[in-house]
């Protein structure tokens, strides 16, 4: 005899005793579960965060120096162009990285000497990533580029915090985090081009 | 000597259902733990873009949600198939965004109103023209902290291979 059947013999009486009550409860439970399935969703919320500037009249009209600006252009066909060159996401990542971590004027004491290119951007505090998209560019591409920008800054900040504080960026306290963020500030300028 | 034979029923006894409540409750708790509450009734199609560098929301009370995408099929007759903005439970015009931000900001307690974050949940095929307009309206309304909602990709390689740019 399988043990399952034996078990059922033993519990049968108790079950009969409770049967009516159990059924009512069962219906109630089913309702609760249905309510949950209707009112909830499976995936949690995760997102890429950005802070914008307020709309204000331009007082100081001096443009950001060209050598400290990395211009990323995206056209209606979602092609990404940097420095007159069409790139994919991996190449874009590398371009942003070399641009941001460069120490052209030698003022950055936490940058690596081996990455230094005197003819490129001055230092991380000046490096501005300018993202110009067109009207028909898809949101998908835009988010992918924002993702690459975030990725570069996460990597650089994390590397610096490990070098300086021996901790990952996420594990720093508030003051340390502010310090590391100030050393690699995320400067972005975004624009939707309304021409064809 | 009388031999009393116990009467045995010949039919198979029913399978015990005594453990059913346990199973049901286990399922219930599993769903309770893994799911999050829906914010509103979605009226737009929303297939979010994928990304890898994402952060979890720290303070949910400071976040307000905005949905952008083409209207769902049942609303397509009335609202067309072009991407539209949904604020709370209704479709909205771009000009509705500023008053909406003011109303939503009032819901947060006063000390933290400047930390209000607007979460943009947009369909991945939305045109940047619309997103740019939305962001301009948000800037005018002084809602400067925004975030872009996306689905997590497993790894960078997966993300790169799934895109054609």
């Amino acid at each position: 005899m399988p043990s399952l059947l034996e078990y059922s013999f033993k519990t049968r009486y108790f079950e009969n005793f409770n049967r009516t009550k159990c059924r009512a409860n069962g219906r109630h439970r089913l309702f609760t579960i249905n309510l949950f399935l209707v009112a909830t969703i499976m995936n949690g919320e995760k997102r890429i965060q950005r802070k914008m500037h307020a709309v204000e009249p331009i007082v100081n009209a001096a443009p950001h120096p060209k050598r400290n600006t990395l211009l990323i252009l995206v056209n209606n066909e979602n092609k990404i162009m940097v420095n007159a060159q069409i790139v994919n996401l991996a190449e874009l990542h590398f371009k942003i990285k070399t641009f941001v971590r460069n120490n052209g004027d030698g003022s950055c004491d936490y940058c690596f000497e081996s990455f230094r290119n005197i003819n490129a951007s001055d230092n991380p505090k000046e490096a501005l990533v300018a993202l110009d998209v067109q009207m028909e560019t898809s949101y998908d591409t835009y988010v992918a580029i924002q993702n690459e920008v975030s990725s570069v800054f996460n990597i650089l900040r994390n590397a610096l915090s490990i070098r300086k504080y021996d901790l990952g960026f996420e594990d720093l306290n508030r003051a340390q985090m502010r310090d590391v963020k100030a050393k690699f500030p995320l400067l972005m300028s975004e624009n939707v081009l309304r021409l064809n | 000597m009388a031999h009393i034979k116990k009467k045995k029923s010949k039919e198979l006894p029913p399978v015990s259902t005594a453990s059913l409540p346990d199973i049901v409750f286990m399922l219930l708790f599993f769903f309770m733990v893994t799911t999050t509450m829906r914010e509103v009734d979605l009226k737009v199609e929303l297939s979010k873009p994928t990304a890898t560098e994402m952060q979890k929301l720290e303070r949910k009370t400071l976040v307000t949600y905005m949905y952008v995408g083409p209207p769902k099929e049942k609303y397509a007759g009335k609202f067309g198939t072009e991407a539209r903005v949904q604020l709370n439970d209704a479709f909205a015009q771009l000009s509705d965004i500023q008053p909406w931000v003011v109303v939503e900001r009032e819901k947060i307690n006063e000390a933290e109103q400047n930390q209000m974050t607007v979460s943009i949940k947009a369909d991945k095929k939305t045109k940047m023209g619309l997103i740019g307009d939305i962001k301009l309206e948000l800037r005018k309304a002084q809602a400067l902290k925004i975030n872009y909602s996306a689905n997590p990709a497993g790894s960078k390689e997966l993300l790169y291979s799934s895109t054609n740019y």
Side-chain angles (χ1 to χ4, degrees):
Chain A
M1 248 328 174
S3 59
L4 182 73
L5 274 184
E6 264 171 59
Y7 179 68
S8 79
F9 274 128
K10 276 181 204 159
T11 53
R12 218 173 147 189
Y13 293 103
F14 296 101
E15 233 184 84
N16 278 336
F17 186 71
N18 279 331
R19 188 155 274 172
T20 41
K21 215 181 162 190
C22 268
R23 275 201 188 137
N25 273 346
R27 222 173 279 140
H28 182 244
R29 273 197 302 271
L30 207 67
F31 173 72
T32 324
I33 285 183
N34 277 342
L35 190 81
F36 255 102
L37 292 181
V38 168
T40 56
I41 37 174
M42 261 322 233
N43 47 357
E45 297 301 328
K46 283 187 153 191
R47 50 262 354 266
I48 298 173
Q49 303 196 340
R50 284 287 179 276
K51 199 170 177 191
M52 303 190 289
H53 289 281
V55 183
E56 48 197 27
I58 300 163
V59 187
N60 184 5
H64 200 80
K66 208 175 174 187
R67 63 189 251 127
N68 288 331
T69 310
L70 181 77
L71 184 59
I72 305 170
L73 286 163
V74 191
N75 72 356
N76 288 336
E77 279 86 53
N78 298 326
K79 291 270 182 286
I80 306 163
M81 188 168 87
V82 181
N83 296 335
Q85 206 179 335
I86 290 177
V87 292
N88 61 27
L89 284 180
E91 290 161 349
L92 178 71
H93 179 96
F94 186 67
K95 293 232 176 206
I96 300 171
K97 202 178 193 174
T98 44
F99 170 74
V100 173
R101 72 184 174 190
N102 191 42
N103 180 22
D105 62 357
S107 68
C108 166
D109 54 355
Y110 48 88
C111 300
F112 285 113
E113 195 63 24
S114 52
F115 295 141
R116 192 169 170 188
N117 178 2
I118 299 170
N119 299 318
S121 61
D122 282 337
N123 59 60
K125 286 179 186 173
E126 296 288 322
L128 174 88
V129 180
L131 175 55
D132 283 7
V133 298
Q134 277 193 301
M135 294 284 281
E136 304 279 303
T137 306
S138 77
Y139 181 65
D140 199 9
T141 320
Y142 175 74
V143 168
I145 294 169
Q146 291 281 12
N147 187 48
E148 287 315 315
V149 175
S150 284
S151 152
V152 167
F153 277 87
N154 286 349
I155 289 170
L156 292 176
R157 283 170 179 175
N158 201 34
L160 179 64
S161 57
I162 286 171
R163 254 184 294 147
K164 203 170 169 190
Y165 298 108
D166 216 358
L167 277 173
F169 183 67
E170 296 290 312
D171 302 323
L172 297 179
N173 64 34
R174 272 170 177 264
Q176 292 169 334
M177 215 177 238
R178 212 175 301 133
D179 172 53
V180 173
K181 266 188 182 172
K183 292 202 156 132
F184 284 110
L186 205 171
L187 304 176
M188 269 194 95
S189 152
E190 293 175 34
N191 198 6
V192 180
L193 302 174
R194 270 150 222 286
L195 43 96
N196 290 309
Chain B
M1 235 161 93
H3 181 76
I4 303 166
K5 209 175 184 183
K6 233 182 173 180
K7 212 180 178 186
K8 263 189 180 175
S9 71
K10 280 182 182 164
E11 55 187 297
L12 206 68
V15 179
S16 166
T17 52
S19 56
L20 196 68
D22 304 13
I23 296 167
V24 171
F25 270 111
M26 201 179 64
L27 271 177
L28 177 67
F29 289 143
F30 173 74
F31 282 119
M32 276 170 70
V33 170
T34 53
T35 53
T36 46
M37 280 290 175
R38 259 184 223 280
E39 296 102 27
V40 287
D41 183 24
L42 264 188
K43 290 188 172 176
V44 293
E45 291 289 347
L46 209 59
S47 73
K48 291 192 260 178
T50 28
T52 53
E53 309 294 319
M54 293 185 293
Q55 291 156 319
K56 269 215 160 147
L57 287 180
E58 282 160 22
R59 302 275 306 278
K60 278 210 162 174
T61 47
L62 300 176
V63 181
T64 33
Y65 301 91
M66 167 190 277
Y67 306 88
V68 186
K72 278 189 176 166
E73 228 170 86
K74 55 183 169 181
Y75 303 109
K78 207 171 171 188
F79 296 101
T81 49
E82 275 292 296
R84 293 191 60 131
V85 185
Q86 182 191 345
L87 302 174
N88 299 335
D89 273 330
F91 288 110
Q93 305 287 333
L94 281 173
S95 55
D96 298 333
I97 292 176
Q98 286 191 51
W100 171 76
V101 170
V102 173
V103 171
E104 292 294 318
R105 190 178 279 135
E106 286 300 311
K107 291 181 188 167
I108 302 170
N109 71 44
E110 215 164 326
E112 295 173 327
Q113 280 184 2
N114 59 341
Q115 292 183 51
M116 175 185 164
T117 308
V118 177
S119 178
I120 299 176
K121 293 189 175 187
D123 188 77
K124 57 182 170 189
K125 290 200 182 76
T126 315
K127 304 266 184 278
M128 276 313 291
L130 179 62
I131 303 283
D133 291 343
I134 290 169
K135 280 171 66 184
L136 185 63
E137 289 296 319
L138 287 175
R139 284 172 64 194
K140 282 182 191 162
Q142 292 290 317
L144 302 177
K145 290 180 93 172
I146 57 165
N147 57 41
Y148 308 109
S149 183
N151 289 330
S155 69
K156 268 263 158 91
E157 288 72 33
L158 273 173
L159 180 71
Y160 288 161
S161 61
S162 66
T163 52
N164 51 355
Y165 31 82

